[in-house]
Amino acid sequence: MMQQSKVRKHVTVGMLSSIAYLLMMLDFPFPGFPSFLQIDFSDVPALIAAIVFGPAAGLMVEAIKNILHYLIQGSATGVPVGEISNFMAGSLFILPSAYLFRRFKNLKGLLVGLAIGTLLMTVIMSILNYFVIMPAYTLFLNMPAMTSEATRQLVVAAILPFNLIKGLIVTLLIIAIMSKMRTWLTNQLIINYKQV
């Protein structure tokens, strides 16, 4: 029975990773923001994995989709700066959401988790973009380094509001999906806790 549960978990995480990768390819720009900022819904399968199987499964989906994206699509920088950034943003978003849903097993817990995840993603990714990600892009693309003021303006005017809007859009999508999947998710949680 335990072996069957492990196989089921691995197969489901693999399927959710494939779906996440496909959703990552269907990214689109948001009006009013620079074209390199793209919205996608690939965090939804990662969140489902984290809710059903625990945080490690959600992180696994985030990692696999980004590895697949880098191996198949490549990167303009030659280094997976965008994929690492996507992994960090997705992880910051899904972990509080999954933790609070698994703890309280209700929509309120999920909503609080999604709000915390959105805020964490927005604030921490703004800081990381300022200090690490934007300098890495300019370095690997052999572009002239941006001044700290120009970087700050880009972060405040584009990256910070973009991540906030992305978090809100993905939150609305997840709430719509969860309302349809709530019974299935609750059953999956019961099954998984019985098998632990």
Side-chain angles (χ1 to χ4, degrees):
M1 186 71 167
M2 191 66 154
Q3 187 64 29
Q4 194 177 25
S5 172
K6 276 187 173 181
V7 170
R8 184 175 144 272
K9 176 181 176 180
H10 292 310
V11 169
T12 306
V13 167
M15 284 179 11
L16 288 170
S17 299
S18 301
I19 293 167
Y21 167 68
L22 292 173
L23 289 172
M24 193 176 182
M25 286 178 41
L26 299 174
D27 58 356
F28 57 93
F30 197 79
F33 289 101
S35 60
F36 65 86
L37 293 174
Q38 304 272 318
I39 290 183
D40 67 70
F41 302 118
S42 62
D43 292 329
V44 175
L47 179 58
I48 292 170
I51 287 172
V52 175
F53 299 113
L59 292 176
M60 187 66 69
V61 172
E62 288 286 349
I64 291 170
K65 74 167 184 178
N66 280 292
I67 291 167
L68 287 173
H69 189 269
Y70 180 66
L71 293 175
I72 296 169
Q73 307 294 116
S75 170
T77 62
V79 178
V81 178
E83 287 78 11
I84 291 169
S85 176
N86 184 282
F87 173 79
M88 290 187 292
S91 300
L92 289 166
F93 181 70
I94 68 165
L95 290 178
S97 310
Y99 173 76
L100 288 172
F101 183 80
R102 285 173 66 90
R103 178 152 167 67
F104 298 107
K105 294 183 185 59
N106 61 30
L107 190 58
K108 185 179 177 183
L110 178 66
L111 286 173
V112 172
L114 288 166
I116 292 169
T118 298
L119 290 175
L120 275 176
M121 177 177 69
T122 301
V123 172
I124 294 175
M125 291 310 294
S126 295
I127 295 166
L128 286 173
N129 267 282
Y130 181 81
F131 288 107
V132 180
I133 298 165
M134 296 306 295
Y137 269 116
T138 57
L139 173 72
F140 291 118
L141 290 172
N142 291 321
M143 294 167 54
M146 294 173 68
T147 65
S148 60
E149 181 58 26
T151 306
R152 187 187 69 78
Q153 284 180 358
L154 180 64
V155 168
V156 171
I159 291 168
L160 190 147
F162 171 82
N163 280 322
L164 192 59
I165 290 168
K166 178 183 176 181
L168 291 172
I169 290 171
V170 175
T171 293
L172 292 173
L173 179 63
I174 288 170
I175 291 167
I177 290 170
M178 293 297 267
S179 66
K180 302 290 185 194
M181 296 177 63
R182 189 169 28 210
T183 305
W184 179 81
L185 284 171
T186 305
N187 289 338
Q188 295 306 306
L189 287 170
I190 291 166
I191 290 166
N192 285 328
Y193 282 126
K194 282 181 181 173
Q195 290 172 348
V196 170

